[in-house]
Amino acid sequence: MQLNQVIIAHKAGDSLSKSWAEKCARQLESRNCRVLMGPSGPQDNPYPVFLASSTQPIDMALVLGGDGTALSAARNLAADRIPILAVNVGGNLGFLTESFEIFKDSEQVFDRLASDFYAIQRRMMLQAQVFEGNSSNLDPVSDRFLALNEICVKPASADRMITSILEMEIDGEVVDQYQGDGLIIATPTGSTAYTVAANGPIVHDGMQAITVTPICPMSLSSRPIVLPAGSVVSIWPLADYELNTKLWTDSVLGTSIWPGQRVDIRMAEYRAKFIILRENYSYYQTLREKLQWAGARIRYSNNHRDN
């Protein structure tokens, strides 16, 4: 990998993340690399300015923070196919990030990148757009929204908890109506995020699939389902007289959805590219560590494993 121009995004409001970003910027600049650096957070999105001001290809984005910081980078950089090195500096769970222990010798990490001693993991994303009327109308009335974890359709109100009524179509066929707190449409990456908290399925991140998980449905028959990646999920808000239904992307507010409108959700044409430094990366080890799987209450030895 060439390191001629690099983005460094640090978690907004986190002093540790910022100090490491400044340290890495100095190290890269000493290698004659141009650095674009800024904070990333709910109120800070540096990527449009970085992309607009760049006069040469961006080789990599170094993202220092937690999963939220990595998700923001993926949404903004996937379309430009910029690889992301996400490092858990000031983050919490860290499903999407490399550990700080691997990164703390950052000079060695930059040597590895320059020598192509790393792997690239491509993760499926979702895209959503809002349309007026039925599926024959293909002229969107909203921007395109990207998500690495999930697209969520649920209401929001400042003064009360609202029950939503949503109708879902899959590839133009009505599947069900859901009454509850909303619907989560997730990628395999997102199956271990909001979806798993809503009792949805865990799907290996090497697969291409879409999961639909109801949030606190008022019917025991409303169950999560797993769909082929080529499916188009359309959601209609019903009986929303106060216009509270919202579209959320990776837990970030996207736009409002009014009765008479539908949101179409499908696999995005772009994939997020994450740089992997770990030489022994294991999806199952990540599940065990991050979800703290304890196994059976009594541990049994498996004496047959090495026979």
Side-chain angles (χ1 to χ4, degrees), residues 133-152:
N134 61 36
S135 57
S136 64
N137 184 357
L138 299 178
D139 294 322
V141 296
S142 76
D143 295 332
R144 181 190 62 180
F145 299 94
L146 291 175
L148 176 58
N149 269 355
E150 74 277 315
I151 303 286
C152 185

Side-chain angles (χ1 to χ4, degrees), residues 139-210:
D139 294 322
V141 296
S142 76
D143 295 332
R144 181 190 62 180
F145 299 94
L146 291 175
L148 176 58
N149 269 355
E150 74 277 315
I151 303 286
C152 185
V153 178
K154 65 176 183 178
S157 174
D159 54 2
R160 65 190 183 94
M161 297 175 64
I162 301 171
T163 297
S164 63
I165 301 176
L166 304 172
E167 184 170 272
M168 182 178 71
E169 296 178 3
I170 299 175
D171 297 330
E173 180 179 350
V174 176
V175 174
D176 203 355
Q177 290 186 354
Y178 299 90
Q179 185 173 4
D181 288 355
L183 285 173
I184 306 169
I185 297 82
T187 66
T189 297
S191 71
T192 51
Y194 194 2
T195 294
V196 77
N199 288 322
I202 294 177
V203 181
H204 193 289
D205 59 17
M207 295 181 64
Q208 292 191 35
I210 298 172

Side-chain angles (χ1 to χ4, degrees), residues 23-177:
K23 175 181 177 180
C24 292
R26 292 191 297 269
Q27 293 173 344
L28 287 169
E29 287 169 348
S30 70
R31 297 168 180 251
N32 298 317
C33 175
R34 183 184 181 218
V35 175
L36 305 171
M37 187 174 71
S40 175
Q43 307 301 322
D44 299 278
N45 183 3
Y47 300 106
V49 174
F50 291 160
L51 295 172
S53 63
S54 175
T55 58
Q56 64 188 86
I58 297 172
D59 300 303
M60 178 189 73
L62 174 60
V63 179
L64 305 175
D67 286 338
T69 318
L71 289 168
S72 178
R75 290 194 302 272
N76 285 277
L77 301 178
D80 291 275
R81 297 175 172 83
I82 297 172
I84 300 166
L85 174 55
V87 183
N88 192 2
V89 182
N92 295 313
L93 196 56
F95 255 104
L96 297 172
T97 57
E98 296 291 293
S99 72
F100 178 69
E101 287 299 314
I102 294 176
F103 181 77
K104 63 183 180 181
D105 187 353
S106 50
E107 287 280 18
Q108 184 184 49
V109 169
F110 297 142
D111 288 339
R112 285 184 57 181
L113 295 173
S115 302
D116 293 332
F117 187 40
Y118 62 91
I120 291 287
Q121 184 180 54
R122 292 170 172 83
R123 290 178 178 261
M124 170 187 159
M125 300 185 71
L126 295 175
Q127 68 178 45
Q129 285 182 296
V130 179
F131 300 83
E132 297 279 0
N134 61 36
S135 57
S136 64
N137 184 357
L138 299 178
D139 294 322
V141 296
S142 76
D143 295 332
R144 181 190 62 180
F145 299 94
L146 291 175
L148 176 58
N149 269 355
E150 74 277 315
I151 303 286
C152 185
V153 178
K154 65 176 183 178
S157 174
D159 54 2
R160 65 190 183 94
M161 297 175 64
I162 301 171
T163 297
S164 63
I165 301 176
L166 304 172
E167 184 170 272
M168 182 178 71
E169 296 178 3
I170 299 175
D171 297 330
E173 180 179 350
V174 176
V175 174
D176 203 355
Q177 290 186 354

Side-chain angles (χ1 to χ4, degrees), residues 137-292:
N137 184 357
L138 299 178
D139 294 322
V141 296
S142 76
D143 295 332
R144 181 190 62 180
F145 299 94
L146 291 175
L148 176 58
N149 269 355
E150 74 277 315
I151 303 286
C152 185
V153 178
K154 65 176 183 178
S157 174
D159 54 2
R160 65 190 183 94
M161 297 175 64
I162 301 171
T163 297
S164 63
I165 301 176
L166 304 172
E167 184 170 272
M168 182 178 71
E169 296 178 3
I170 299 175
D171 297 330
E173 180 179 350
V174 176
V175 174
D176 203 355
Q177 290 186 354
Y178 299 90
Q179 185 173 4
D181 288 355
L183 285 173
I184 306 169
I185 297 82
T187 66
T189 297
S191 71
T192 51
Y194 194 2
T195 294
V196 77
N199 288 322
I202 294 177
V203 181
H204 193 289
D205 59 17
M207 295 181 64
Q208 292 191 35
I210 298 172
T211 63
V212 179
T213 303
I215 309 170
C216 299
M218 298 182 70
S219 170
L220 293 178
S221 67
S222 296
R223 309 301 301 167
I225 56 174
V226 181
L227 307 174
S231 303
V232 178
V233 179
S234 301
I235 299 174
W236 303 71
L238 305 178
D240 183 16
Y241 307 113
E242 298 179 3
L243 308 180
N244 290 307
T245 304
K246 311 293 183 185
L247 174 71
W248 308 79
T249 63
D250 295 336
S251 301
V252 175
L253 179 61
T255 188
S256 297
I257 311 170
W258 294 9
Q261 295 180 333
R262 75 178 197 278
V263 55
D264 284 0
I265 302 165
R266 66 185 74 211
M267 180 173 62
E269 57 184 297
Y270 310 108
R271 292 191 180 191
K273 296 171 64 176
F274 283 89
I275 295 171
I276 303 297
L277 298 176
R278 288 160 286 177
E279 298 180 40
N280 57 345
Y281 171 77
S282 166
Y283 175 75
Y284 306 108
Q285 180 181 353
T286 301
L287 289 182
R288 291 195 302 269
E289 291 178 354
K290 302 302 182 181
L291 298 182
Q292 297 182 355

